[in-house]
Amino acid sequence: MNEERLVSAEQSVDDQAIDAALRPKKLDDFIGQERVREQLSLVLHSALRRGRTPDHVLLSGGPGLGKTTLAMIIAAELGRPLRITSGPAIERAGDLAAVLSTLSEGEVLFLDEIHRMARPAEEMLYLAMEDFRVDVVVGKGPGATAIPLDIAPFTLVGATTRAGMLPGPLRDRFGFVAHMDFYEPAELEVIVRRSAGLLGVRVDDEAAAEVAFRSRGTPRIANRLLRRVRDYAEVRADGVVTRELARAALDLYEVDAQGLDRLDRAVLRALLVKFGGGPVGLSTLAVSVGEEPETVEVVAEPFLVRQGLLARTARGRVATPAAWAHLGLTPPPGAAAPFPAAAPGAGALFDVGGEGD
Ligand SMILES: Nc1ncnc2c1ncn2[C@@H]1O[C@H](COP(=O)(O)OP(=O)(O)OP(=O)(O)O)[C@@H](O)[C@H]1O
């Protein structure tokens, strides 16, 4: 169901063309992520000065935060071609050898979802990253021989949503690791205004702020909400997006003032109304909203936790005071405190898996 959500950060089929059209092409046009941008600029420009290929770059961060965009910008800033592949496309070492052996001097290789690459290919990549060499194995069994093959110096840009899943030896071979954070509303507002300009949508500043605020810190979601708001303004008004129109459109699509959607709110409401704010086990909570536990855990909870609306404790899921306020409800006397510091037997707080019902 993640794919169908308006507030999913994953790329949908509809997003593909628009993502491409809205990508900034230069580092200076890339909005937000100040530290990453500055660090990357130094890495790239010092390599350019020295006439060398820059260190390999690892981009780590959630979907829709701009990793593909940055990879394209890196190639553009270096004035080099970009080759794009992804971990799941590399099922065998031979798949990677085919890519590496056809790279041109200085080419930028973007390997998206690098944590999903096949293990034997990973080992081939170590050597390629370090020595610009691959060992091509010819034959099978005891007669197999490894033929070393030089490859052109290249820059690998790896992207991952799960930096923790990368084996240490692979992570260590990146000279520069960029951690991409969620964007601030003010940064997203600039992105919304820029995208509106490119799409020819007239959006006033207050409306841009409204869209930004509901975009869960993610440019891809901001661009998607902007499109829905544009449709609404075109059909129901004169095409100019005002704050009132943006609010009405996003309310219609059930994306609320903090970016929660129907599922998020259903989970929160069940936790508050049916279970008095918790603690309640994940499976019980999931059944009460008619979803699988995994859907609640993977799709709804991370954002609720990030927003400080829900806490995962050793005793189960607990609503925070902000959750009551967000849904305009009053906690009953004695509602569970999210952080029962003094309660005997209360366990650790966050991200404790496996609590019972
Ligand atoms: N800093 C930014 N400034 C302007 N637009 C941005 C920025 N970051 C991302 N975007 C826009 O958001 C959309 C998604 O970005 P992109 O495809 O680069 O994300 P991603 O991190 O590679 O996502 P995924 O991990 O799902 O592939 C693109 O349209 C891109 O233009």
Side-chain angles (χ1 to χ4, degrees):
M1 87 160 275
N2 202 17
E3 261 63 56
E4 298 155 21
R5 296 175 84 203
L6 198 56
V7 292
S8 164
E10 306 283 346
Q11 189 180 53
S12 69
V13 175
D14 285 350
D15 290 329
Q16 284 171 11
I18 216 87
D19 270 1
L22 295 179
R23 285 205 167 97
K25 308 262 184 301
K26 291 186 301 204
L27 210 46
D28 282 345
D29 298 335
F30 191 83
I31 296 151
Q33 311 286 346
E34 294 294 332
R35 193 177 293 271
V36 165
R37 222 173 49 192
E38 205 176 329
Q39 292 168 340
L40 196 55
S41 169
L42 287 173
V43 170
L44 299 180
H45 292 111
S46 79
L48 276 174
R49 272 175 179 231
R50 287 178 290 119
R52 304 286 300 268
T53 53
D55 281 353
H56 303 299
V57 175
L58 180 65
L59 305 173
S60 144
L65 295 184
K67 298 182 297 300
T68 306
T69 304
L70 263 190
M72 291 179 169
I73 288 176
I74 289 172
E77 295 276 334
L78 294 170
R80 296 288 175 183
L82 176 74
R83 185 87 62 96
I84 300 181
T85 186
S86 73
I90 301 196
E91 293 174 12
R92 290 162 301 137
D95 298 333
L96 183 64
V99 174
L100 292 172
S101 60
T102 53
L103 289 174
S104 61
E105 168 112 22
E107 193 160 351
V108 176
L109 173 63
F110 178 49
L111 219 169
D112 201 5
E113 298 188 77
I114 191 170
H115 58 277
R116 293 178 61 192
M117 193 173 40
R119 265 293 136 91
E122 236 165 48
E123 274 153 33
M124 174 178 277
L125 191 59
Y126 297 162
L127 196 62
M129 290 170 80
E130 219 159 68
D131 294 342
F132 300 121
R133 189 162 64 84
V134 289
D135 283 340
V136 180
V137 179
V138 181
K140 277 194 175 155
T145 41
I147 302 177
L149 186 76
D150 284 336
I151 55 175
F154 69 103
T155 299
L156 177 67
V157 179
T160 182
T161 49
R162 317 282 292 271
M165 276 177 68
L166 280 194
L170 180 55
R171 227 179 13 235
D172 294 345
R173 282 171 169 81
F174 286 97
F176 174 58
V177 180
H179 296 282
M180 301 181 66
D181 283 327
F182 291 103
Y183 291 68
E184 295 298 328
E187 294 166 342
L188 286 173
E189 202 181 315
V190 181
I191 292 176
V192 169
R193 287 208 301 267
R194 174 182 175 277
S195 299
L198 291 171
L199 295 173
V201 184
R202 284 169 295 161
V203 176
D204 75 23
D205 288 353
E206 288 182 339
E210 192 67 40
V211 173
F213 224 86
R214 299 188 188 208
S215 300
R216 301 163 78 110
T218 307
R220 175 174 291 134
I221 300 177
N223 287 340
R224 201 183 294 138
L225 296 187
L226 172 66
R227 273 151 31 222
R228 296 294 75 83
V229 162
R230 170 206 58 193
D231 298 347
Y232 188 95
E234 278 174 1
V235 176
R236 302 254 170 114
D238 60 359
V240 180
V241 184
T242 60
R243 167 171 278 178
E244 278 60 45
L245 277 180
R247 279 189 180 157
L250 295 173
D251 288 347
L252 181 68
Y253 282 103
E254 301 188 278
V255 177
D256 78 13
Q258 264 192 60
L260 275 63
D261 77 347
R262 195 184 48 76
L263 176 67
D264 301 322
R265 271 197 311 280
V267 169
L268 213 53
R269 182 168 289 280
L271 178 57
L272 299 177
V273 175
K274 294 188 184 158
F275 305 105
V280 59
L282 171 64
S283 332
T284 309
L285 185 58
V287 168
S288 75
V289 292
E291 292 287 352
E292 294 296 320
E294 199 196 340
T295 306
V296 171
E297 187 173 30
V298 175
V299 179
E301 274 188 358
F303 184 62
L304 295 175
V305 170
R306 207 176 102 206
Q307 292 299 99
L309 297 169
L310 178 148
R312 298 200 259 210
T313 76
R315 296 179 305 147
R317 273 54 177 175
V318 181
T320 67
W324 294 96
H326 186 69
L327 290 192
L329 298 169
T330 312
F339 309 115
L349 291 175
F350 289 104
D351 286 327
V352 184
E355 77 279 10
D357 286 331

